[in-house]
Amino acid sequence: MLNRRQIAEFHRNGFLNGGPVLDDAGIQELRDELQRVLDTGPEGFPEEGPRPVLFHNMVREREPERCVWQIVNIWEVSDAYRRLIHHPLIVEAISQLTGAEELLVWHDQIQYKPPGHGGVTSWHQDAPLWPIIRPMTPVSAWVALDDATVENGCMWMTPGSHRWGNQIEFLRTQAHLKQAGDFGQIEGFSPPDDAETSVVEPRPWPVQAGEVSFHHSLTWHGSPFNHSQTPRRAIAMHYMTGESRFVASGQHVMKAFVDLPDGGPMNQAGEHFPSVMRNGKMAALAG
Ligand SMILES: O=C(O)CCC(=O)C(=O)O
């Protein structure tokens, strides 16, 4: 359970380290499961039957010599990851941070930057990249499976940026920032006059293996290259509240799994969006 100070920190900064949620055995189980899925490979899952929604090197077209394995909805092919999306400490914290008593999984995603040639995840906000759900309020839980450090490409965060609105077009102009050495050098943006945080001060956000970090879906974040000799494995679990609605005009990889009319409640979108909390109580394990 988060305390008042932690909740206030999240609302001020737009991100928070929630502390350890996995012991060594739990970390190793998730690493082993990730390796099993990587060994199976994108083509190794049957067409019919459970498979990740997306499984690719997300930087291959931009930078063929680099790699970030992105696996969306690994929970659909792994009991250990399915248990993780229901982790009581994580779900309870998301409820505290959103103030919601009904929570659903929007989707999860592994981002694995291999040693030596791990690619960049450019500065972005999540919510503008998720145009099939409204409002833009989800909160994500990001669990490190290795110590995420400046050297191996930990995330960077910009305090207070979740209160600056949708700035995705501006952030796209910062895609030249790729190295840990210059990743924080965002230039050309002035926060709104009435914003609580009036300076752009990005900072590295190291997270230890087994810890959870939370971020708001409008918080500016990203992660540079991994030039180090250590892997940077992590999973983000993106949660939405019971108020989320489907926006049929948008595009997103999860749209193919939404069985709803425009404006329909996402809590009726179907089995790919499991409920993790109902009426303030933990929901039964998905699947
Ligand atoms: O794992 C990363 O470096 C980026 C993850 C991310 O963008 C997210 O969790 O929203």
Side-chain angles (χ1 to χ4, degrees):
M1 185 155 186
L2 301 175
N3 60 36
R4 287 227 301 263
R5 185 190 52 74
Q6 289 174 303
I7 296 170
E9 181 180 329
F10 177 83
H11 289 306
R12 185 173 61 253
N13 285 340
F15 54 94
L16 172 79
N17 187 320
V21 289
L22 295 173
D23 60 16
D24 288 351
I27 296 167
Q28 194 55 48
E29 182 184 26
L30 293 172
R31 287 178 181 165
D32 291 346
E33 275 295 275
L34 174 56
Q35 195 55 52
R36 178 182 66 78
V37 171
L38 287 166
D39 290 344
T40 304
E43 314 304 332
F45 290 91
E47 270 311 315
E48 304 301 324
R51 48 185 295 123
V53 163
L54 193 64
F55 186 168
H56 67 156
N57 171 6
M58 64 181 239
V59 300
R60 197 186 56 187
E61 284 178 13
R62 288 197 308 270
E63 289 176 322
E65 75 289 359
R66 300 214 152 253
C67 179
V68 180
W69 281 113
Q70 183 186 41
I71 305 172
V72 173
N73 277 17
I74 194 170
W75 72 262
E76 301 209 35
V77 296
S78 166
D79 287 343
Y81 283 98
R82 183 175 291 124
R83 287 197 304 276
L84 187 69
I85 60 172
H86 286 269
H87 193 303
L89 290 178
I90 295 176
V91 172
E92 184 180 38
I94 295 279
S95 171
Q96 290 181 280
L97 297 175
T98 55
E101 295 203 327
E102 182 176 7
L103 294 171
L104 311 157
V105 176
W106 161 221
H107 60 85
D108 71 19
Q109 63 167 312
I110 293 282
Q111 284 203 18
Y112 165 36
K113 296 177 191 259
H117 65 292
V120 67
T121 306
S122 301
W123 281 104
H124 66 282
Q125 296 167 296
D126 293 332
L129 306 180
W130 298 339
I132 68 165
I133 57 169
R134 285 286 185 280
M136 293 196 279
T137 51
V139 172
S140 298
W142 189 95
V143 174
L145 302 180
D146 299 293
D147 289 348
T149 65
V150 171
E151 291 72 33
N152 72 1
C154 70
M155 282 202 288
W156 287 56
M157 299 280 173
T158 302
S161 54
H162 63 308
R163 302 262 189 240
W164 300 341
N166 178 348
Q167 302 298 346
I168 194 71
E169 291 310 323
F170 166 73
L171 290 172
R172 287 195 170 116
T173 68
Q174 305 299 299
H176 56 283
L177 302 173
K178 297 178 180 185
Q179 309 283 349
D182 68 8
F183 205 66
Q185 291 173 21
I186 293 179
E187 280 174 4
F189 183 84
S190 299
D193 289 342
D194 57 351
E196 191 181 333
T197 308
S198 57
V199 284
V200 182
E201 283 180 345
R203 58 160 98 139
W205 188 237
V207 178
Q208 290 186 2
E211 287 182 340
V212 61
S213 162
F214 298 102
H215 61 271
H216 188 277
S217 63
L218 285 171
T219 301
W220 297 11
H221 62 287
S223 52
F225 288 152
N226 178 8
H227 291 300
S228 80
Q229 291 313 304
T230 58
R232 204 231 63 177
R233 292 166 285 195
I235 176 151
M237 293 169 288
H238 308 298
Y239 294 93
M240 54 189 168
T241 68
E243 65 176 343
S244 292
R245 301 254 156 193
F246 177 53
V247 181
S249 57
Q251 293 305 325
H252 188 273
V253 67
M254 292 305 296
K255 188 175 180 180
F257 304 98
V258 180
D259 186 14
L260 286 177
D262 189 35
M266 285 299 287
N267 62 8
Q268 290 171 27
E271 62 188 3
H272 293 271
F273 307 92
S275 167
V276 291
M277 180 178 272
R278 267 189 222 104
N279 297 323
K281 303 239 176 340
M282 297 295 155
L285 209 62

